[in-house]
Amino acid sequence: SEKCHDLNAYAVFLSGAGPTIMVALPENNMDFIPSLEAYVKTREHKWRVQELHMDLEGAKSQVTSLR
């Protein structure tokens, strides 16, 4: 968490779906991922950094006519 904030993350939180740490970043923070990848390589446990993008539209439903 501290390292992510040092790299200018907006927010850091633990996901409930396993050992996952989620980070919210400014879109223009191009240095975050390479910097975090270098940092996690120095840690005892094996971590993988994976970039995900937010879905800004959410779920959608489609209604079709039964006629």
Side-chain angles (χ1 to χ4, degrees):
S1 170
E2 195 172 311
K3 183 63 173 178
C4 292
H5 286 293
D6 289 346
L7 294 171
N8 299 317
Y10 286 145
V12 181
F13 59 95
L14 291 174
S15 169
T20 303
I21 300 170
M22 304 290 287
V23 179
L25 301 171
E27 192 171 354
N28 63 353
N29 189 341
M30 301 301 186
D31 296 330
F32 183 87
I33 291 178
S35 297
L36 190 61
E37 286 174 331
Y39 174 74
V40 298
K41 286 179 182 177
T42 69
R43 310 308 298 163
E44 177 183 350
H45 299 288
K46 303 295 181 205
W47 288 91
R48 178 178 54 144
V49 177
Q50 182 174 348
E51 183 176 4
L52 304 173
H53 297 274
M54 289 186 214
D55 177 357
L56 301 176
E57 295 182 25
K60 298 177 185 175
S61 64
Q62 183 177 1
V63 178
T64 56
S65 175
L66 298 176
R67 289 195 237 176

